[in-house]
Amino acid sequence: QVQLVESGGGLVQPGGSLRLSCAVSGFTFSSSYMNWVRQAPGKGLEWVSSITSDGSITYYADSVKGRFTISRDNAKNTLLLQINSLKSEDTAVYYCTKDHLFTFWGQGTQVTVSS
């Protein structure tokens, strides 16, 4: 069955960095458009970033542009999100999701930015 498993979250100080990973199985990852979505405490879902199946084109929300980098390793069926210059407002659960319709979701990984 389809599985998406996020990891790499944690507690980090403002200005710090994290690298999130999403290991996928159960579908052809190398053919799939992928996304990162986050949900801050008490708020709705926010789209963060997307990447085409071959990794050649990436998209970012204005709130993360210049600080976040999405990438993928199709040989390892892994989606990545490098997060730099973290701010308190980046505190959220981060989810990886599949395709333009966000049809499948992982369980999420918590990122907490606090001093």
Side-chain angles (χ1 to χ4, degrees):
Q1 74 272 24
V2 173
Q3 285 192 314
L4 298 89
V5 180
E6 301 92 337
S7 62
L11 173 63
V12 62
Q13 292 186 342
S17 298
L18 282 174
R19 190 189 196 204
L20 307 184
S21 297
C22 175
V24 311
S25 60
F27 63 95
T28 306
F29 178 70
S30 59
S31 299
S32 300
Y33 185 95
M34 297 294 295
N35 319 281
W36 286 98
V37 176
R38 68 184 180 184
Q39 185 167 30
K43 297 190 176 181
L45 294 168
E46 178 189 15
W47 169 77
V48 172
S49 182
S50 298
I51 188 168
T52 53
S53 58
D54 65 355
S56 62
I57 303 174
T58 58
Y59 305 91
Y60 298 95
D62 288 344
S63 58
V64 307
K65 202 171 294 183
R67 300 188 298 120
F68 289 20
T69 303
I70 190 172
S71 62
R72 64 193 298 157
D73 185 338
N74 284 348
K76 296 182 178 179
N77 284 358
T78 302
L79 180 70
L80 302 166
L81 186 68
Q82 178 68 41
I83 307 177
N84 297 328
S85 303
L86 277 158
K87 306 175 181 179
S88 58
E89 52 263 44
D90 295 319
T91 294
V93 178
Y94 285 72
Y95 301 93
C96 63
T97 75
K98 178 183 179 293
D99 69 44
H100 295 80
L101 299 179
F102 304 89
T103 52
F104 292 98
W105 294 64
Q107 84 291 346
T109 187
Q110 176 71 49
V111 172
T112 302
V113 184
S114 175
S115 56

